[in-house]
Amino acid sequence: MSTDETGESAPSTLALRSVVADIAGTINPKAAKPDAAMVDNAKAIASTEPAAAFRLAQQALLQGRAADARDVFREIVRHHPQTAVAHIGLSDALAATGQVTEASRSARCGAVLAPGDARAWSALCRIQSSGDGREDTEQSGSGGPLTPARRALVIGPDQPGLHNQLGRACWKAAQPEAAMAAARSGLALAPDDPGLNLLLASCLTALERSAEALPHFEKAKADRAAWWEIFNNLGMTHLNLGDVHAAADNYNRLARLKYGRPRNDDPAFDGLPDIPERPVPRHCTGHRLHHDAEQFARLRAKGVLPDDLKDMADAYEEVRKRVAPEDDPDAGFTLSGPAYELLAPTWNRLVHVAGTGWGDRPALNPELDWNDIDATFMAGTPKQGFIDDLLIPEALEALRTFCFDTTMWFDVKPLGYLGAYMEDGFADPLLCRIATELRERMPLALAAHPLQKMWAYKYEQGMHGINPHADFANVNVNFWITDNAANLDPDTGGLIVYPKPAPDSWTFAEYNHAPREEIYRFLGSSKDEALRVPHRTNRAVLFDSRLFHETDVIRFAPGYENRRINITMLYGNGP
């Protein structure tokens, strides 16, 4: 049998090339999925009709039947081992079934057989760019995905997708300038390509050129599959630009992708999924079940739950009763089996949002001497202090209702508290107003430091708070909204701020997650000089983010509305 210049057998090469040339126009992912008999038939004809077998294997791969595609490609390779495109197809199928090492070998075979075919090098780059391909990359000594990405682009410089691939390989290699150059080269060929626009926007954001990134993020929205990444990055970009409201809009959209749309959702979010796009986390604790039971009981009593969810409070109590103490360790457990099925309609779902509808009205107390508060904070050594009567009464009450009634408390903490974050739905207009107004009222302390993070924690009575730690920001603002009558010990329940900052030599993991004893050893005698701020409703504590701080002793009365709730806003990106 004759061979062509690549060493492939001519008949199979010509047949397979004809298939690959028009594959995009002829393969229909929505067509009937090949059954076992069709797959067996494709394997049987792999020796005599490789093009037909290849087409069926490719269709199976596009339809998500990677194992079937792999088996057919293997038969094609067995009968036509010199055919590069068969090795490339097998590589894609092996990668899709998690057989990374074998996938890498097949891609290399394709590259050896057809060194001038960009697809082989592109397949090798995809494999080595994946986290699972890291070990294979190290063993092969190939230098990672950059080398095959560059080889592919040299062969196909007119293909925007190869510019995108090289750019993403550079991005993973922590080379944002090189990634940006690749993205711009690709956009010169395809200005509206969503993937290239997303890559360029991400690079510009990383290089602190957020304003330039915005139009590219908007173009990237054409790729529906990338909305998770886009909404998250747009949220961070708008925060960097100081537009908290725009950031909140994108984070609220992300929350609906993650947790589904609320039953009472705003029409502004039409087009987003009713149910979560991906499986929700099932990590659970007894205190989470207790909280959700109380919350759904409250929502039922207020008459805001649809009929099919009115029994959810009872369901949470039922599951809670089934959890034996030995099955609920400090680290929690995985909610599974019948227990999960019982809670599935609401578990980690954004079922109800009690939006405040707050507009441009002031939320901070206008009676406070904000100029004096700002100047006093900046003159402090260290910078720390507290503010009483932070919010006007209407804002405080609206914020309480939002925190009581919105089902956004998804982050389960083992020490006895739950977290809600901007990207999970903690992004109400009232919160945005407070965050923005604080910068306006305290320009010396905050004007140069845009909001970077915002969250709330809600605590189970009788459990512990947060261990001593420091944060990577410039200024922390913490304030409490639970009624004073809930605190059974008026001298505690708040925050302890130590006068000693984390040393510059410590990493984030060290000063944010180190064991309590290690932090105390570092603090030494300064531990006795701490600022202890007791809990008061509507009281805010401000301090240099690098100062170590921890939750004080918590003794709050039973009852859902008596749970301690603190709201945290971090301003600036470190010292």
Side-chain angles (χ1 to χ4, degrees), residues 349-505:
R349 297 283 294 273
L350 204 58
V351 175
H352 182 78
V353 172
T356 66
W358 203 271
D360 292 332
R361 292 175 292 156
L364 299 186
N365 184 353
E367 302 300 322
L368 297 177
D369 188 342
W370 287 100
N371 290 333
D372 181 66
I373 292 170
D374 193 19
T376 301
F377 176 79
M378 292 301 293
T381 306
K383 295 181 177 65
Q384 58 185 21
F386 62 91
I387 305 170
D388 280 327
D389 301 317
L390 176 73
L391 307 176
I392 62 173
E394 297 85 352
L396 176 62
E397 189 57 35
L399 192 53
R400 280 178 175 165
T401 301
F402 173 70
C403 290
F404 289 155
D405 294 353
T406 302
T407 58
M408 60 186 172
W409 302 93
F410 304 128
D411 189 26
V412 182
K413 301 292 188 179
L415 293 177
Y417 59 100
L418 303 173
Y421 304 89
M422 289 191 78
E423 59 270 27
D424 294 339
F426 188 69
D428 186 82
L430 174 54
L431 291 163
C432 298
R433 176 65 192 180
I434 295 168
T436 301
E437 201 173 345
L438 277 168
R439 292 185 72 203
E440 296 169 353
R441 296 283 193 173
M442 300 185 65
L444 298 177
L446 300 176
H449 305 302
L451 181 76
Q452 295 299 312
K453 298 286 184 182
M454 179 168 65
W455 66 80
Y457 288 147
K458 188 188 288 190
Y459 298 76
E460 177 89 352
Q461 290 91 335
M463 299 188 77
H464 301 284
I466 305 172
N467 285 331
H469 66 285
D471 293 303
F472 188 78
N474 290 94
V475 179
N476 275 39
V477 178
N478 284 264
F479 60 97
W480 303 300
I481 63 173
T482 305
D483 190 84
N484 285 335
N487 185 8
L488 299 179
D489 183 357
D491 293 330
T492 63
L495 194 68
I496 301 173
V497 183
Y498 299 102
K500 195 171 181 179
D504 293 339
S505 60

Side-chain angles (χ1 to χ4, degrees), residues 51-115:
F54 187 97
R55 187 186 300 276
L56 193 71
Q58 195 74 352
Q59 181 158 310
L61 185 59
L62 289 172
Q63 292 175 332
R65 296 186 61 169
D68 289 337
R70 175 199 62 201
D71 294 344
V72 176
F73 280 128
R74 276 179 173 158
E75 281 299 298
I76 299 173
V77 167
R78 186 167 73 85
H79 292 287
H80 305 280
Q82 299 300 310
T83 307
V85 289
H87 287 279
I88 297 169
L90 177 57
S91 172
D92 289 337
L94 287 165
T97 57
Q99 297 168 268
V100 177
T101 301
E102 295 91 333
S104 184
R105 289 176 187 148
S106 292
R108 289 196 196 97
C109 286
V112 169
L113 290 168

Side-chain angles (χ1 to χ4, degrees), residues 521-543:
R521 282 196 299 270
F522 168 77
L523 291 173
S525 60
S526 66
K527 181 176 178 295
D528 299 327
E529 302 169 6
L531 172 67
R532 189 171 198 166
V533 185
H535 174 277
R536 295 290 185 275
T537 187
N538 210 13
R539 169 178 282 178
V541 185
L542 291 76
F543 54 93

Side-chain angles (χ1 to χ4, degrees), residues 461 485-488 555-559 562-563:
Q461 290 91 335
N487 185 8
L488 299 179
R555 291 186 61 242
F556 279 58
N562 291 330
R563 291 170 181 262

Side-chain angles (χ1 to χ4, degrees), residues 155-216:
I155 297 167
D158 59 341
Q159 299 180 40
L162 296 182
H163 290 270
N164 191 0
Q165 188 174 61
L166 175 60
R168 292 194 174 276
C170 292
W171 177 262
K172 287 198 170 187
Q175 299 177 19
E177 294 279 5
M180 183 168 63
R184 290 195 187 281
S185 296
L187 287 170
L189 298 169
D192 295 323
D193 182 272
L196 286 164
N197 274 287
L198 178 55
L199 174 60
L200 179 56
S202 300
C203 293
L204 289 167
T205 301
L207 296 170
E208 299 183 359
R209 295 163 61 178
S210 296
E212 296 177 60
L214 287 179
H216 296 287

